[in-house]
Amino acid sequence: MEVIIAPDRHKAALLVARIVAKELRADPRLVLGLATGRTMERVYACLVDLHRGEGLDFSVCSTFNLDEYIGIPADHPCSYRRYMDEHLFAQVNVAPGRTHLPDGMAPDLGAECRRYESLIQAAGGIGLQLLGIGSDGHIGFNEPLSALRSRTREKALTPSTLEQNAPMFGGDPAAVPRRAITMGVGTILDSRRCLMLVTGESKAAILAKAVEGPITSMVTASALQLHPRCQVVVDEEAAAHLQGIDYYRWIFANEPEWAEFRGA
């Protein structure tokens, strides 16, 4: 795992977008794993700018989102399908048939979870997985005590997750669906590269646990320590509790692979 510290949240998001753009240019058929949430909105805005200003091409890539709420249709204002359409899909040249999210309205949710796993495998697996982190350390909707080898499945959401997601539902935690379909921790770890973005003071303590603490199902993001190619991009506020902060700065300043990204 590598930690990259950017000066602020905007530059952190731009750095993530530039990493995605480099991977996409190297492999136009890249299979992208996508995340949602307020942190990712800045990344998608940067990718849209790169598409419009530099011709970043999404036409033959494929996308698979981490999760979707159960019980709301794709055209619901708070569905993740609507989120992705608004923030990325409708603003770049990605083919609609190449964009995938779980169907939270499927009559057989177990079959839908198996279908989603099969679609990922048929696409050749996820090449680059974007991730955020929840206030309790979850990735996707893999809440505390999720099995670290879990696959796409239904998951009940914790009160803290309902509270965290309430702003998208008018500020009312009671309006947030209680269950979701999510890629499992094992599904995420199968990705060839993971790229997690964490910003803000409120995430500093849980980030330190995920990056520098023990690997535990109580903090599912800690499983990323097992991944052979995982980068975590953070801003100064989110980095505040990291013990290895000086080492992380030295690596980013000196490793040749990061030379083109310094100054982003």
Side-chain angles (χ1 to χ4, degrees):
M1 179 182 285
E2 295 177 275
V3 178
I4 301 167
I5 303 170
D8 56 51
R9 62 186 60 199
H10 173 73
K11 289 186 176 179
L14 178 58
L15 177 56
V16 168
R18 288 182 60 191
I19 293 170
V20 173
K22 181 180 180 180
E23 292 274 351
L24 191 54
R25 288 178 175 128
D27 178 10
R29 295 188 175 275
L30 181 67
V31 180
L32 278 168
L34 300 180
T36 54
R38 285 166 288 181
T39 303
M40 288 297 153
E41 291 176 16
R42 291 185 287 273
V43 175
Y44 296 142
C46 292
L47 287 172
V48 170
D49 288 344
L50 289 170
H51 169 70
R52 293 173 176 171
E54 300 182 13
L56 183 62
D57 183 19
F58 292 81
S59 63
V60 293
C61 77
S62 299
T63 70
F64 287 88
N65 266 73
L66 283 168
D67 39 39
E68 180 60 281
Y69 292 113
I70 290 172
I72 61 175
D75 60 358
H76 188 283
C78 297
S79 75
Y80 285 145
R81 167 59 75 174
R82 280 285 293 270
Y83 172 103
M84 292 306 308
D85 286 344
E86 176 183 346
H87 292 289
L88 185 65
F89 296 159
Q91 301 192 62
V92 298
N93 64 331
V94 64
R98 291 181 174 270
T99 64
H100 305 89
L101 287 88
D103 181 4
M105 296 295 290
D108 185 335
L109 294 171
E112 172 61 14
C113 294
R114 293 188 294 273
R115 182 190 74 88
Y116 202 65
E117 283 279 334
S118 295
L119 284 175
I120 293 171
Q121 294 304 312
I126 291 171
L128 173 61
Q129 177 66 61
L130 283 179
L131 297 162
I133 189 172
S135 58
D136 58 7
H138 68 249
I139 47 176
F141 275 132
N142 292 286
E143 302 285 30
L145 296 179
S146 290
L148 300 186
R149 296 180 67 182
S150 54
R151 314 305 300 186
T152 300
R153 68 208 188 288
E154 301 176 58
K155 194 68 182 172
L157 307 185
T158 65
S160 64
T161 297
L162 299 177
E163 187 73 31
Q164 183 178 340
N165 291 4
M168 294 177 283
F169 289 82
D172 181 9
V176 183
R178 294 305 194 253
R179 299 180 68 81
I181 294 176
T182 183
M183 284 187 199
V185 181
T187 310
I188 293 167
L189 292 179
D190 280 348
S191 304
R192 287 184 284 281
R193 182 176 187 179
C194 288
L195 185 59
M196 186 163 72
L197 174 62
V198 186
T199 61
E201 182 182 6
S202 65
K203 297 291 180 69
I206 195 63
L207 172 70
K209 289 182 179 180
V211 171
E212 298 178 337
I215 298 171
T216 169
S217 62
M218 285 299 295
V219 180
T220 55
S222 68
L224 295 172
Q225 296 178 36
L226 298 169
H227 197 281
R229 195 180 183 203
C230 177
Q231 286 83 35
V232 182
V233 179
V234 306
D235 66 357
E236 289 285 354
E237 291 184 351
H241 293 192
L242 294 173
Q243 296 180 37
I245 192 167
D246 292 336
Y247 174 69
Y248 306 142
R249 293 190 199 283
W250 190 92
I251 290 293
F252 185 60
N254 290 278
E255 284 293 314
E257 68 175 300
W258 297 115
E260 66 184 287
F261 296 105
R262 292 194 280 271

